[in-house]
Amino acid sequence: MMVIILMNKVLIIWFKDCIGMIDGTHVDAMLPINLVARFRGRKGVTQNVLAACTPNKLFTYILAGWEGSANDYRILQDALSRPQPHGLRVYDGKYYLCDAGYPTMPGFISPYRGVRYHLKEHSGKTPKNRRELFNLRHSSLRSKIESAFGTLKNRFKILCAKPHYPFPIQVDIVLACTILHNFIATVDPRDELLNVDEFNEDIDGEVAFENDTNLVDFTQNQSQREQTKSRNEWKTLRDNIAWAMWVDYCDKYNHGVTTET
C-alpha cells in the first residue's frame, strides 16, 4: 500500500497519512417486484456499492449489495461495524479522503462545504483562500475513485446490463469485476482504459450533511459528546493541512502574502 501511495507527490506532501479514497457508486439491478421499491433511488433500481481505492485505481475494499436508496454514510457505518476481514479497516492516525456525502470524522476527511470543489469548478481559476486550495487538491486525488468506477463500468459492460441472475449473483458479479480490474491494473499498469481519467461518473455526489456534529456513529462505543469532540479534532487536522498548503502556495505564487478573499 505505501509503495503505491508514495508514487503521488501531492499525496505524500499534503496527505501523507492518507491510505486511499472512498466513495459509493450505483450498479443497475434486477429484482423481484416485491423488492423493487426498496432498491429504487435517484439512479433508478440499483445496488449501492461502497469502495475504497488507491491513487492508481486499485480497489482495496468493496461492499456491494446495499439498496440503491440507501445513504452513503449509512453504508459506510455498516462497513465499519463489520468484523474483519469483511469490515472496512481504519488505522490509527490514517484516513481516507471522501466527498461531502460523508462527514469529517476519525479516519475520514471530507472537503469544506459551501466552497467550490469539483475540478471543473476550478477550471481557469486560481484559489482565493485556504479552503479553495484544500478542496482543489482534495478533489484532484479523490477524483481517482470516480475515474476507477468509470473504468470498471466501461470495461465490464455487464455492470450496466441489468443481468437476469438472482440478486446474490449480481452482487458477486460486482466483486468479481473489481478483482479482475485489480488484476489488469497490476499486470498491465499501462492499460489504455486504466489511464483514461475522463470516466468521472457520479460527480454530483450525495446531499451533504448540513450539521455533521449531530450525527451519531453507532459503530463506536462513545457518547455523542465524545463523538463530537473526535470529529472536531479531525476538522482541526483538516484546517491545519489547509493552512500549511496555503502558506506554501502563497510563498511560491504570491510573494508570501497570505491574505484571503
Side-chain angles (χ1 to χ4, degrees), residues 54-66:
T54 64
N56 54 347
K57 305 179 188 177
L58 280 174
F59 289 107
T60 58
Y61 181 80
I62 297 289
L63 176 59
W66 263 86

Side-chain angles (χ1 to χ4, degrees), residues 41-82:
R42 61 192 179 90
K43 301 264 179 151
V45 180
T46 65
Q47 56 168 306
N48 200 339
V49 180
L50 176 73
C53 82
T54 64
N56 54 347
K57 305 179 188 177
L58 280 174
F59 289 107
T60 58
Y61 181 80
I62 297 289
L63 176 59
W66 263 86
E67 297 95 327
S69 58
N71 181 279
D72 280 350
Y73 178 62
R74 181 184 174 195
I75 302 172
L76 175 61
Q77 286 200 313
D78 177 38
L80 292 171
S81 67
R82 294 182 179 223

Side-chain angles (χ1 to χ4, degrees), residues 9 17 19 43 47 52 76 88 93 102 108 124 150 163 165 190 197 243 247 255:
K9 293 181 179 179
D17 291 320
I19 54 176
K43 301 264 179 151
Q47 56 168 306
L76 175 61
L88 179 64
Y102 307 89
F108 302 90
Y165 298 110
R190 296 185 180 182
D197 282 329
W243 177 247
V247 170
H255 308 290

Side-chain angles (χ1 to χ4, degrees), residues 22 73 76-77 80 88 90 94-96 98 102-110 113 212 215-217 219-220 227-228 230-235 237-238:
I22 194 165
Y73 178 62
L76 175 61
Q77 286 200 313
L80 292 171
L88 179 64
V90 179
K94 306 296 182 180
Y95 55 83
Y96 291 95
C98 53
Y102 307 89
T104 291
M105 64 182 191
F108 302 90
I109 294 182
S110 60
R113 293 171 188 151
D212 58 31
L215 291 171
V216 177
D217 185 352
T219 67
Q220 304 293 330
Q227 291 177 29
T228 299
S230 294
R231 289 199 173 103
N232 287 339
E233 289 173 351
W234 280 80
K235 289 180 180 180
L237 172 62
R238 180 179 63 181

Side-chain angles (χ1 to χ4, degrees), residues 211-224:
N211 185 2
D212 58 31
T213 60
N214 292 328
L215 291 171
V216 177
D217 185 352
F218 294 104
T219 67
Q220 304 293 330
N221 294 321
Q222 294 179 316
S223 67
Q224 189 166 357

Side-chain angles (χ1 to χ4, degrees), residues 116 119-128 132 136 249:
R116 57 182 175 177
L119 295 179
K120 290 183 179 180
E121 297 179 81
H122 288 274
S123 179
K125 302 175 183 177
T126 57
K128 302 299 183 183
E132 286 190 359
L136 172 62
Y249 178 85

